[in-house]
């Protein structure tokens, strides 16, 4: 069994791709898997680190602000299509899996033209440009949200959810309290902005450290690498065992296990993790993503009373006060937790892997 997987550009695309590959390899240890990504993007490091071979294409995203720069982008796209054709011809995949991002466009289009069955995986509640362009070529489209027939042919859709990090579930709150030095008699707020951090969330915390300090709430604040120095400097006057400021949390299973409330961006992977773990959350969608994907992701929860939304533009003024009020409202926390669990899609990677195998067998 030979499977071509393509996509990347961001961790939100790379992680599901690797999870699908892991599920396929676990079921079929002898299957051959080849990734196709974009040269110089993070998948060229992350995928080999996960134990898979990857080939890079010179493809780049379109510049939406400077149209003239897209002349060279189109030239690179043509080069990528030629290279993708050679890759498909040599590897001869039984199926191709596209997880979105411009890196997958060339490889998936070429594979489909060469008669390879195509499965797409769309992580967001608002479909990405690449997957929308490929919808007619796809045999199956695995999605994480209901209502995606407004973007894709309904007969091709399969609701599978998004694969999440396999080591997140099962964390013990007692172990977590010991790991982070918190106590079990006070509420715990987890603030995360992704591995790179989130400027607005960090600025919102910095602006209200006094209120946080006076609240008695325990806080684990993951700033991201680019913001750690400024955050530590700002937090110095409020230094306390109740406030942990760090650029990275290695034991996210424990961080989630002890958290009574989570402040997060609304990326597809983060949303899926919150659903699976049943965590009450305040979502602050990033305004800096294509087609405002994160707001659509967040609203899928907010409309089911499964999360609270604070707009990025309002965060610095309202985010922390909203969090401190909510974390003290036990009934509301329980309601959010109960509702978000109903939106969870379990065992997504294996379910997508099963659809991949069905495509091969039907071929």
């Amino acid at each position: 069994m030979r499977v071509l997987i393509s996509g990347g550009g961001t961790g939100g695309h790379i992680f599901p791709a690797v999870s699908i590959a892991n599920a396929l390899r676990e079921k079929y240890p002898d299957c051959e898997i080849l990734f196709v990504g974009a040269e110089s993007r993070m998948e060229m490091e992350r995928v080999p680190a996960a134990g898979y071979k990857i080939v890079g294409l010179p493809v780049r995203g379109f510049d939406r602000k400077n149209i003239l720069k897209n002349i060279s982008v189109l030239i690179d796209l043509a080069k990528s299509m030629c290279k993708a054709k050679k890759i498909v011809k040599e590897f001869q995949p039984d199926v191709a899996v596209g997880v979105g991002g411009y890196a997958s466009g060339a490889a998936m289009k070429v594979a489909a033209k060469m008669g390879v069955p195509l499965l797409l995986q769309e992580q967001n509640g608002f479909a990405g440009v690449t997957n929308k362009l490929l919808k007619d070529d796809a045999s199956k489209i695995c999605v994480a949200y209901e209502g995606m027939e407004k973007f894709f042919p309904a007969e091709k859709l399969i609701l599978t959810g998004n694969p999440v990090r396999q080591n997140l579930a099962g964390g013990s709150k007692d172990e977590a309290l010991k790991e982070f030095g918190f106590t079990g008699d006070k509420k715990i707020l987890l603030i995360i902005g992704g591995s790179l951090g989130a400027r607005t969330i960090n600025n919102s915390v910095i602006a209200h450290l006094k209120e946080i300090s006076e609240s008695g709430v325990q806080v684990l604040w993951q700033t991201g690498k680019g913001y750690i120095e400024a955050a530590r400097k700002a937090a110095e006057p409020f230094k306390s065992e109740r406030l942990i400021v760090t650029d990275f949390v290695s034991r996210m299973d424990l961080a989630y296990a002890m958290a009574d409330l989570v402040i997060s961006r609304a990326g597809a992977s983060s949303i899926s993790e919150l659903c699976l773990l049943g965590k009450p959350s305040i979502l602050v969608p990033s305004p800096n993503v294509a087609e405002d994907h994160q707001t659509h992701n967040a609203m899928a929860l907010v409309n089911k009373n499964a999360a609270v939304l604070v707009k990025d533009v309002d965060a610095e003024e309202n985010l922390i006060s909203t969090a401190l009020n909510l974390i003290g409202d036990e009934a509301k926390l329980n309601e959010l937790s109960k509702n978000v669990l109903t939106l969870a899609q379990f065992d997504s990677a294996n379910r997508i892997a099963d659809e991949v195998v069905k495509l091969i067998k039907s071929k």
Side-chain angles (χ1 to χ4, degrees):
M1 186 166 71
R2 304 166 77 84
V3 182
L4 186 75
I5 302 178
S6 184
T10 68
H13 291 125
I14 298 165
F15 182 77
V18 171
S19 293
I20 295 166
N22 289 343
L24 285 166
R25 182 163 281 179
E26 188 173 332
K27 291 172 181 288
Y28 303 95
D30 294 331
C31 74
E32 292 189 46
I33 298 172
L34 177 65
F35 280 76
V36 177
E39 292 174 356
S40 77
R41 300 292 294 195
M42 67 170 69
E43 59 264 29
M44 302 307 293
E45 294 181 5
R46 299 281 180 89
V47 170
Y52 297 99
K53 183 180 178 182
I54 186 168
V55 181
L57 302 177
V59 65
R60 293 181 287 138
F62 281 93
D63 191 321
R64 303 182 186 208
K65 295 179 180 178
N66 191 332
I67 303 300
L68 291 178
K69 286 186 178 179
N70 290 322
I71 295 172
S72 61
V73 173
L74 289 170
I75 293 171
D76 285 339
L77 177 60
K79 291 177 181 176
S80 297
M81 297 288 281
C82 291
K83 188 172 182 180
K85 186 174 183 179
K86 183 180 179 182
I87 292 168
V88 173
K89 192 173 182 180
E90 291 178 354
F91 185 62
Q92 295 188 335
D94 296 300
V95 65
V97 179
V99 298
Y102 56 80
S104 70
M108 294 297 100
K109 193 70 178 178
V110 167
K113 282 186 176 180
M114 296 175 72
V116 180
L118 177 60
L119 179 144
L120 300 180
Q121 199 258 331
E122 175 57 58
Q123 299 95 37
N124 294 289
F126 190 91
V129 173
T130 300
N131 280 345
K132 284 192 288 187
L133 290 173
L134 292 167
K135 69 179 187 292
D136 293 332
D137 297 307
S139 298
K140 295 181 179 181
I141 305 171
C142 295
V143 296
Y145 294 92
E146 296 175 349
M148 296 300 285
E149 58 273 4
K150 60 180 173 283
F151 303 108
F152 303 118
E155 67 276 8
K156 296 182 180 183
L157 293 177
I158 305 166
L159 184 64
T160 59
N162 285 322
V164 301
R165 291 173 281 187
Q166 287 123 333
N167 60 349
L168 281 182
S172 158
K173 182 167 184 176
D174 288 340
E175 184 185 354
L177 294 175
K178 186 176 179 181
E179 172 78 13
F180 294 103
F182 286 161
T183 62
D185 61 340
K186 294 184 182 298
K187 294 291 186 180
I188 298 173
L189 174 63
L190 173 62
I191 304 173
I192 49 178
S195 58
L196 298 178
R199 184 189 302 274
T200 300
I201 292 177
N202 288 328
N203 286 346
S204 301
V205 177
I206 288 171
H208 297 278
L209 281 166
K210 186 174 185 290
E211 292 96 312
I212 291 172
S213 176
E214 293 172 350
S215 71
V217 171
Q218 300 171 113
V219 177
L220 174 56
W221 175 20
Q222 180 200 291
T223 66
K225 293 181 180 178
Y227 304 100
I228 186 62
E229 289 186 18
R232 281 183 175 151
K233 184 177 180 181
E236 186 62 31
F238 307 96
K239 194 171 184 179
S240 163
E241 291 180 351
R242 295 199 307 268
L243 175 62
I244 296 175
V245 185
T246 180
D247 62 336
F248 179 73
V249 177
S250 59
R251 292 297 304 270
M252 279 302 298
D253 58 329
L254 297 182
Y256 275 129
M258 70 179 183
D260 295 292
L261 177 65
V262 181
I263 291 176
S264 174
R265 284 301 199 188
S269 294
S270 297
I271 294 278
S272 296
E273 291 172 0
L274 293 167
C275 290
L276 285 166
L277 298 171
K279 286 295 166 181
S281 65
I282 299 176
L283 301 174
V284 187
S286 170
N288 304 314
V289 295
E291 299 179 290
D292 202 19
H293 283 163
Q294 290 201 4
T295 296
H296 291 277
N297 293 345
M299 291 308 299
L301 272 62
V302 173
N303 290 336
K304 298 287 180 69
N305 195 23
V308 172
L309 175 75
V310 172
K311 292 181 180 179
D312 190 88
V313 69
D314 299 326
E316 194 161 332
E317 182 178 351
N318 298 330
L319 177 59
I320 297 305
S321 61
T322 301
L324 294 179
N325 287 330
L326 177 56
I327 205 167
D329 187 343
E330 196 68 34
K332 184 64 175 179
L333 291 176
N334 289 335
E335 183 182 21
L336 292 174
S337 179
K338 179 182 176 181
N339 291 340
V340 79
L341 267 174
T342 66
L343 302 177
Q345 293 288 334
F346 294 91
D347 206 24
S348 297
N350 279 316
R351 289 161 64 188
I352 295 169
D354 288 341
E355 296 299 331
V356 171
V357 174
K358 285 180 190 176
L359 266 185
I360 295 173
K361 290 181 176 178
S362 66
K363 177 187 173 187

